[in-house]
Amino acid sequence: DEGTITKITAKNNLIKDLTDIKKFQEKYGQRVSRRDTMRDKAIAQCLKRKNQAWCDKKVGKMFDIVEYRLSKINQVAIKVKYNLILMKLDLYLRLKWINLEGYSIIKEDVKYLINNI
């Protein structure tokens, strides 16, 4: 509305990229929920043969390691997607599809999002 993005294609691409990141994060949340369910089932199976402490130590630790690694992979994937947006912003600025004011505002917002993943 303020005229900072002069080309409708640039606006639509930026909105699409941000929407894709949001969907990606939502899917990750669903996967975490499924993994929690699987963890509960695995511990329940373990409890049929061993005690709570043993199951938490062995089965719980295994799931904790997987969760940690997958969360790190998720963070890297999101950072890559945000960095692609920054590269597109640079291109849009060179093509004059976005003015310097809009470029600065969007770039700072994306950098903030990257730093707070």
Side-chain angles (χ1 to χ4, degrees), residues 28 35 65-75:
Y28 178 75
R35 223 174 4 262
I65 291 169
V66 169
E67 178 63 31
Y68 175 78
R69 290 183 179 167
L70 290 176
S71 70
K72 289 297 180 186
I73 291 169
N74 182 60
Q75 289 174 355

Side-chain angles (χ1 to χ4, degrees), residues 16-107:
K16 182 188 175 303
D17 291 341
L18 292 170
T19 304
D20 289 346
I21 291 171
K22 182 178 178 183
K23 288 178 184 176
F24 182 81
Q25 289 175 315
E26 289 170 357
K27 285 182 182 179
Y28 178 75
Q30 292 170 356
R31 288 189 294 264
V32 168
S33 177
R34 282 191 301 244
R35 223 174 4 262
D36 289 344
T37 303
M38 288 174 39
R39 178 188 188 136
D40 293 342
K41 286 181 183 178
I43 289 180
Q45 288 290 89
C46 178
L47 288 173
K48 292 178 183 176
R49 290 181 247 127
K50 302 284 184 175
N51 64 21
Q52 182 73 38
W54 191 92
C55 291
D56 286 341
K57 183 178 178 185
K58 297 295 182 178
V59 177
K61 185 176 180 180
M62 179 183 66
F63 275 92
D64 289 343
I65 291 169
V66 169
E67 178 63 31
Y68 175 78
R69 290 183 179 167
L70 290 176
S71 70
K72 289 297 180 186
I73 291 169
N74 182 60
Q75 289 174 355
V76 168
I78 291 172
K79 282 184 181 181
V80 166
K81 291 174 185 278
Y82 280 133
N83 284 322
L84 286 173
I85 290 174
L86 291 175
M87 291 170 47
K88 283 184 180 182
L89 276 174
D90 291 337
L91 174 66
Y92 296 158
L93 182 64
R94 279 185 270 138
L95 294 173
K96 299 190 188 291
W97 289 5
I98 187 171
N99 66 23
L100 190 58
E101 180 186 354
Y103 171 82
S104 299
I105 292 169
I106 296 170
K107 185 174 181 177

Side-chain angles (χ1 to χ4, degrees), residues 1-15 88-89 91-99 106:
D1 292 340
E2 297 171 3
T4 56
I5 300 176
T6 58
K7 186 83 167 182
I8 193 78
T9 305
K11 179 190 92 162
N12 291 339
N13 285 341
L14 291 170
I15 290 171
K88 283 184 180 182
L89 276 174
L91 174 66
Y92 296 158
L93 182 64
R94 279 185 270 138
L95 294 173
K96 299 190 188 291
W97 289 5
I98 187 171
N99 66 23
I106 296 170

